[in-house]
Amino acid sequence: MAELETKIAQGRGDAAADLVLKGGRILDLITGELIAGDVAICGDTIVGVYESYEGTREIDVKGAILVPGFIDTHLHIESSLVTPFEFDRCVTPRGVTTAICDPHEIANVIGAAGVRYFQQASAHTLMDIRVQLSSCVPSTHMETAGAELLAEDIAELMGHPSGIGLAEFMNYPGVIFRDPEAMKKLRLFEGGHIDGHCPLLSGRDLNAYVAAGIRTEHEATSAEEALEKLRKGMRVLIREGSVSKDLHALQPLLNERTSPYMCLCTDDRNPLDIGEHGHLDYMIRTLIELGTPPLAAYRAASLSAAEAFGLKDRGMIAPGKRADIVAIDSLAGCHAQMVLAGGVVVDDAAFAARETIPEVGRSSVHAPKLTAQSFRATANREETDVIGIREGQILTDHLHETIVIENGDKAPDVARDLIRIAVVERHGKNGNIATGFVRGFGLQKGAIASTVCHDHHNIACVGADYADMALASNRLAEIEGGFVVAAEGKILAELALPVAGLMSLLPFEEVRDRLVELRAAARSLGVTLEEPFLQLAFLALPVIPALKITDRGMVDVTKFEIIPG
């Protein structure tokens, strides 16, 4: 880090700057103007703008527009299916220079060791990874996770330089009904930053939740819901993930008046979607295309995000700010031509120079050996609760169908798009197997199985054929977790995710290519969903209304209880 006197001298022009970007136009996030001028950088800090500077190193950015580095305000790096180092290589060249992550996916599998892995990795990436401390491991009492983080466990993780606060508090009933353990966790961060997670919460219940000191919300799925939360003091994070796609619904709310209080996030986005469409750059392009003023879009992507999370050292191209800068082709195009992260030019050499750390969480699949009989849906009533998928959302519908019992089993009915869903406990704790029905996949044969199963990350499997469900699920143990597509007794496609059953050790490009193969294999089974694998994963998350399934059974989320079998 440069000496204070050196920064001042270089900012005044008394000494040559370490680096000068010359010839570009800077986006002023206060007025929205594009202003010509140099950007002088000393070490990792911007020291001069809008003037002419000389530098020890100079880069010509003529024709480019310079904007602050983008800040993803809420995501789970594990959902990119690669390690933090590959996520860095995948996303930073697109202009994302800060990622505020919640490692609760890996924490649900291996506990505090997973959080520490992310904390340690954050010291070596080009982007600045900020590691929030996971608040709800497990997310509820209605699932079997691999680990549990109590308030005292979280307290031991506090104080790391990557920390900002407490990650998304998903157990909103625990907040509003003052559960003692929830209160302990909230008190640890009282007066600090606490992320929210309260889908469809409103009225007095929302007032109570916000009164607990919870500051952000990324689960708003309509403009009406988001507006109530804004009016009650929450910063609303517009989310566009691989499954949860709320950008179009919330875009009308984002304007120059609201932009200081709105941010952007991806939550869960995989390398195939990033490769095909983009990351926060895609969100910015799409918002502007839909009519959002460019100033509002770029504010939400940087300055507003920095302010919302107390990161006073970034978010603008201005003296004293961290040198996170993206040179783009145009405001509407938002295609990064060059990226600086903390004053470092992001390129292959910079990635190659990083130190890495060993991965954690290997051999984490300890599920029982499954047979076709494991997936029978034994029941004594034909009236059946069915999960109804809403494509592009993790909200589901609670449907009711009559399914005939034959030979003691309620079988899948592909003609009615009623297929079996099962969750199998994989942490070696109890061997639970729960089965139910889901509508919305369009699957006509075969099976899909995954160890990415929010948030407990047991095995989730859907299928029209029990033998294929057993084949796909058992294969997951052999490859240390991942995704598998099977049909007619054969494995059609797979992706191994040996790091806690969540992340690959392959380069992100190879993961992207395997996802193409997996999607094609799923389509060959008749699947109509664009992203069936993460859509499947969220069917097991019992904090998102209305009907979900865990290893303990079908969950009525609106009542927050397991439905009797």
Side-chain angles (χ1 to χ4, degrees):
M1 184 177 293
E3 291 285 342
L4 182 60
E5 289 84 357
T6 304
K7 293 179 183 179
I8 295 170
Q10 291 188 16
R12 192 168 185 271
D14 294 339
D18 293 343
L19 173 64
V20 177
L21 306 181
K22 300 189 73 71
R25 291 183 295 163
I26 303 165
L27 176 62
D28 174 12
L29 285 185
I30 304 304
T31 67
E33 296 173 283
L34 290 172
I35 304 174
D38 295 345
V39 179
I41 298 167
C42 177
D44 63 356
T45 304
I46 299 167
V47 294
V49 294
Y50 307 136
E51 307 289 341
S52 179
Y53 283 94
E54 294 183 356
T56 303
R57 181 186 180 191
E58 297 182 353
I59 298 176
D60 184 0
V61 291
K62 185 177 181 180
I65 294 173
L66 305 180
V67 298
F70 310 140
I71 302 173
D72 191 334
T73 52
H74 174 74
L75 78 158
H76 308 285
I77 289 176
E78 304 99 309
S79 293
S80 70
L81 308 177
V82 293
T83 66
F85 299 99
E86 280 302 297
F87 178 77
D88 184 26
R89 200 171 66 82
C90 178
V91 169
T92 309
R94 292 182 173 273
V96 181
T97 54
T98 303
I100 301 172
C101 81
D102 173 8
H104 75 203
E105 316 300 356
I106 195 169
N108 268 278
V109 180
I110 62 171
V115 179
R116 292 192 185 96
Y117 170 70
F118 273 80
Q119 289 177 331
Q120 292 163 9
S122 72
H124 303 291
T125 51
L126 297 189
M127 70 160 48
D128 187 19
I129 295 178
R130 293 304 183 111
V131 184
Q132 302 284 70
L133 297 184
S134 304
S135 65
C136 298
V137 178
S139 66
T140 73
H141 62 282
M142 297 178 290
E143 63 209 274
T144 303
E148 182 179 31
L149 291 184
L150 299 175
E152 51 263 37
D153 303 312
I154 295 172
E156 291 182 2
L157 295 165
M158 296 174 70
H160 192 270
S162 66
I164 294 176
L166 189 64
E168 54 180 329
F169 215 101
M170 298 181 292
N171 185 6
Y172 55 85
V175 176
I176 62 179
F177 295 113
R178 285 88 74 191
D179 172 79
E181 182 62 25
M183 296 302 101
K184 287 181 184 178
K185 292 175 180 177
L186 291 172
R187 284 195 175 96
L188 280 176
F189 293 85
E190 199 165 12
H193 187 92
I194 305 173
D195 283 335
H197 179 292
C198 55
L200 304 182
L201 203 64
S202 64
R204 290 183 177 180
D205 284 347
L206 179 60
N207 288 342
Y209 185 78
V210 179
I214 296 169
R215 300 184 177 185
T216 64
E217 169 63 333
H218 63 275
E219 290 291 342
T221 55
S222 70
E224 180 183 18
E225 179 184 359
L227 185 58
E228 181 185 1
K229 289 172 174 176
L230 281 171
R231 285 171 171 162
K232 292 182 175 178
M234 302 189 91
R235 304 289 182 116
V236 169
L237 320 180
I238 299 175
R239 172 178 58 187
E240 189 75 1
S242 288
V243 172
S244 306
K245 300 177 184 292
D246 305 315
L247 184 149
H248 283 75
L250 301 190
Q251 179 273 330
L253 200 56
L254 179 61
N255 53 48
E256 291 183 8
R257 181 171 292 179
T258 60
S259 61
Y261 311 100
M262 300 185 75
C263 314
L264 306 183
C265 77
T266 58
D267 205 354
D268 304 276
R269 195 165 180 84
N270 67 46
L272 180 52
D273 285 334
I274 295 168
E276 289 181 340
H277 303 295
H279 201 260
L280 292 191
D281 55 321
Y282 165 75
M283 294 185 69
I284 294 166
R285 279 193 295 276
T286 305
L287 286 166
I288 294 172
E289 183 180 340
L290 293 172
T292 298
L295 175 57
Y298 282 95
R299 269 183 186 163
S302 52
L303 179 59
S304 302
E307 294 287 341
F309 286 83
L311 298 173
K312 299 294 187 180
D313 65 339
R314 68 198 69 190
M316 287 184 68
I317 299 178
K321 301 294 187 183
R322 178 179 153 100
D324 293 338
I325 300 171
V326 189
I328 57 174
D329 56 342
S330 66
L331 293 179
C334 194
H335 295 102
Q337 299 173 333
M338 184 185 70
V339 178
L340 270 67
V344 176
V345 176
V346 174
D347 56 19
D348 291 342
F351 286 123
R354 299 173 307 174
E355 294 182 16
T356 58
I357 61 174
E359 73 276 1
V360 295
R362 298 294 295 268
S363 302
S364 63
V365 182
H366 305 286
K369 187 72 172 180
L370 301 165
T371 69
Q373 298 300 309
S374 304
F375 297 96
R376 289 169 59 86
T378 55
N380 58 10
R381 61 185 181 92
E382 295 184 344
E383 179 71 14
T384 305
D385 298 282
V386 176
I387 300 170
I389 289 175
R390 298 185 187 182
E391 185 166 11
Q393 293 188 13
I394 56 177
L395 295 170
T396 58
D397 296 315
H398 188 162
L399 308 178
H400 299 274
E401 295 288 340
T402 299
I403 302 176
V404 175
I405 300 171
E406 296 182 354
N407 300 317
D409 180 41
K410 293 196 287 190
D413 185 347
V414 297
R416 298 164 63 194
D417 192 17
L418 296 172
I419 63 170
R420 175 72 78 252
I421 182 168
V423 175
V424 181
E425 192 272 321
R426 65 116 159 165
H427 304 296
K429 294 195 169 183
N430 53 40
N432 284 348
I433 302 173
T435 65
F437 284 88
V438 61
R439 169 175 282 160
F441 276 89
L443 186 144
Q444 298 294 306
K445 62 179 182 179
I448 298 172
S450 169
T451 52
V452 178
C453 181
H454 297 287
D455 281 336
H456 42 82
H457 297 296
N458 289 304
I459 291 173
C461 185
V462 289
D465 182 273
Y466 297 165
D468 287 332
M469 293 177 74
L471 174 64
S473 298
N474 289 331
R475 178 62 178 161
L476 290 171
E478 297 170 359
I479 63 174
E480 297 185 88
F483 300 132
V484 175
V485 179
E488 298 171 344
K490 297 179 180 179
I491 303 296
L492 303 185
E494 66 184 27
L495 170 63
L497 301 174
V499 182
L502 299 171
M503 292 175 281
S504 172
L505 294 174
L506 297 172
F508 78 84
E509 295 93 343
E510 291 188 42
V511 174
R512 179 191 63 210
D513 293 345
R514 297 286 179 88
L515 289 173
V516 171
E517 296 170 5
L518 281 160
R519 283 191 187 178
R523 285 195 296 271
S524 77
L525 306 185
V527 171
T528 55
L529 296 172
E530 180 183 359
E531 177 38 69
F533 303 99
L534 286 180
Q535 195 94 51
L536 168 61
F538 281 108
L539 298 182
L541 181 57
V543 293
I544 301 290
L547 182 64
K548 294 294 193 289
I549 182 172
T550 74
D551 65 297
R552 297 186 182 179
M554 299 286 277
V555 178
D556 185 333
V557 182
T558 57
K559 296 180 180 178
F560 224 61
E561 64 183 25
I562 296 172
I563 298 172

